[in-house]
Amino acid sequence: MATQTSIPFIDLQSPWRELEPQIRQAMDRVLGHGQFIMGPEVAELEALLADYAGVSRALTTASGTVSLELALRALDIGPGDEVITVPFTWISTAETIAQVGARPVFVDIDPGTYNIDIALIEAAITPRTKAIMPVSLFGQMPDYDRINAIAAAHGGLPVIEDGAQSFGATRHGRRSGGVTTIGSTSFFPAKPLGCYGDGGAVFTSDPELGMKMEALRNHGGLQRHDHPYIGLNGRFDTLQAAILLAKWPRFAWEVQRRQAVGARYSELLRGYLDEGGRGRTPHIEPGNTHLYAQYTIRMAGRERVQERLKAQGIPTAVYYPKCLHEQPAFRFCGYHRGDFPQAEQAAGEVFSLPMHPDLDEATQDRIIKVFTGC
Ligand SMILES: *Cc1c(COP(=O)(O)O)cnc(C)c1O
């Protein structure tokens, strides 16, 4: 029986309460000038994002999914091509590869970080491979230096980072978005930098790719009534850009808080899980900061703990209960259960705890108490 109020899995209310006047003002400005599509706030935000990610060009988009599609299209990836990625991720990663007509080639994950197992990439490369698209899952980047080196050794294959969960994370001081040929992120409300609707961005320091993605985002042209490419409507709303500009001053604090809240979870759970032999807290690779877009642990028989937490009003979630190679949509790829044992085992064992920058210590202590059953 729930004896206390239930805890939100992600708290979108606290930032809103704190920033309400600034957000309303920013939205009012847009309503006043009326440039709802590609208004001045869009370019203003893109300049901030490019500077933050350490690239020459950031382009906002309609979503993280559209971002990945723009990246693939800008690289001319299509029918007959293969793109290497992971089967343990949100559907968008492989969906966009199939969407442009190419074939996702899955590589198993590292069981510690849940990111791509870099040692397995080379064996998956064929003459048809046109790109490598790793995911920075749960808010931690894989070793892009190693991945970029493998790509370079194979004819300069482009690397696309799916950083939908990792905007704000670093590896050896370099930020997610700025370490590959093209970086991509999402501003879906629950992501580390969330707007109040759908949105995303792509990042590059290659001027030609930047120009091409800019054109593709707006029906394949940079000038009105001139369309060199088949593009799409992939633009970000001016209102959403204004909202992110108003939220931006809080973001650095939120990144720090995420790291602190995640580290505290691990400190409090390590004895019960890792040392108690019951499961594993998140593994952070040396040189990385972890944003804990999801604070994800693993335990065989997770359902018992999930039930115990739920009974006390504490929500949990499983990201992801089913690997992409086992989704009916990807049956055409010809994979079977058993092809990616680490991904499959993770799908059966992981679950995530409430996680957001405003999670206070008392609430976290209550979660830990119920979790460990003492
Ligand atoms: C959220 C997410 C996306 C897609 O972002 P949307 O903005 O929802 O389209 C892509 N990849 C990963 C890994 C994600 O978590």
Side-chain angles (χ1 to χ4, degrees):
M1 208 174 62
T3 50
Q4 283 172 285
T5 51
S6 50
I7 291 170
F9 189 68
I10 289 175
D11 174 12
L12 299 179
Q13 286 304 311
S14 293
W16 162 246
R17 272 196 300 272
E18 188 180 314
L19 297 171
E20 182 177 348
Q22 292 95 311
I23 293 172
R24 284 196 189 276
Q25 269 172 29
M27 292 177 77
D28 275 347
R29 264 196 304 276
V30 177
L31 296 173
H33 68 53
Q35 296 179 60
F36 301 119
I37 304 296
M38 299 311 283
E41 285 80 2
V42 172
E44 196 187 326
L45 176 66
E46 288 174 348
L48 281 181
L49 295 172
D51 184 57
Y52 186 83
V55 292
S56 60
R57 200 77 208 273
L59 294 157
T60 54
T61 69
S63 71
T65 306
V66 164
S67 295
L68 295 173
E69 185 177 339
L70 289 172
L72 292 161
R73 283 178 183 260
L75 292 164
D76 287 318
I77 292 167
D81 297 336
E82 295 176 355
V83 177
I84 292 173
T85 191
V86 284
F88 189 66
T89 175
W90 174 239
I91 186 106
S92 302
T93 318
E95 179 185 48
T96 50
I97 296 168
Q99 189 66 44
V100 301
R103 189 177 181 281
V105 172
F106 295 123
V107 163
D108 208 354
I109 58 164
D110 170 84
T113 61
Y114 310 108
N115 280 328
I116 195 164
D117 184 341
I118 298 170
L120 302 177
I121 292 177
E122 212 141 27
I125 296 175
T126 77
R128 289 177 301 280
T129 306
K130 288 289 146 54
I132 306 173
M133 193 153 97
V135 182
S136 301
L137 201 72
F138 301 143
Q140 169 173 224
M141 296 155 77
D143 185 348
Y144 285 107
D145 286 338
R146 263 177 80 203
I147 296 169
N148 289 337
I150 292 167
H154 286 83
L157 285 174
V159 179
I160 303 167
E161 177 192 12
D162 183 349
Q165 303 182 7
S166 61
F167 191 66
T170 61
R171 180 167 176 84
H172 298 304
R174 293 171 70 204
R175 288 210 169 102
S176 175
V179 296
T180 56
T181 317
I182 298 175
S184 165
T185 198
S186 164
F187 302 133
F188 183 82
K191 309 281 176 167
L193 180 62
C195 64
Y196 291 159
D198 278 309
V202 285
F203 307 88
T204 189
S205 290
D206 179 319
E208 255 172 65
L209 287 175
M211 208 135 66
K212 194 156 176 203
M213 288 192 289
E214 186 183 3
L216 291 171
R217 171 181 73 174
N218 197 15
H219 301 295
L222 292 173
Q223 275 147 18
R224 209 167 163 77
H225 304 305
D226 184 17
H227 309 272
Y229 313 109
I230 298 292
L232 57 137
N233 176 354
R235 301 172 304 236
F236 192 45
D237 291 341
T238 311
L239 270 170
Q240 295 296 348
I243 289 164
L244 280 190
L245 284 169
K247 289 187 77 189
W248 186 256
R250 197 182 197 253
F251 184 58
W253 176 85
E254 291 182 346
V255 165
Q256 282 187 356
R257 281 292 301 157
R258 288 182 162 281
Q259 289 168 25
V261 171
R264 190 164 185 271
Y265 259 137
S266 291
E267 213 176 282
L268 296 171
L269 284 171
R270 200 166 285 128
Y272 182 82
L273 285 176
D274 306 74
E275 286 152 25
R278 294 182 180 92
R280 300 238 301 259
T281 55
H283 171 72
I284 308 182
E285 264 186 20
N288 278 358
T289 59
H290 199 318
L291 267 199
Y292 304 104
Q294 301 298 344
Y295 183 85
T296 303
I297 54 182
R298 66 190 300 165
M299 266 182 113
R302 65 187 166 202
E303 295 78 11
R304 256 192 30 227
V305 179
Q306 287 186 280
E307 279 305 314
R308 191 156 76 222
L309 290 163
K310 191 178 169 196
Q312 296 297 320
I314 300 165
T316 61
V318 175
Y319 301 107
Y320 297 90
K322 195 173 185 180
C323 294
L324 298 190
H325 67 285
E326 297 187 90
Q327 290 287 356
F330 293 109
R331 205 169 282 146
F332 74 95
C333 295
Y335 292 110
H336 301 284
R337 181 146 188 100
D339 286 346
F340 306 104
Q342 295 299 344
E344 290 165 18
Q345 194 179 340
E349 293 182 356
V350 295
F351 68 108
S352 307
L353 298 178
M355 175 72 210
H356 53 84
D358 296 276
L359 188 66
D360 59 48
E361 292 196 353
T363 308
Q364 204 175 18
D365 288 342
R366 189 183 140 202
I367 295 167
I368 298 295
K369 215 172 138 196
V370 178
F371 189 109
T372 57
C374 56

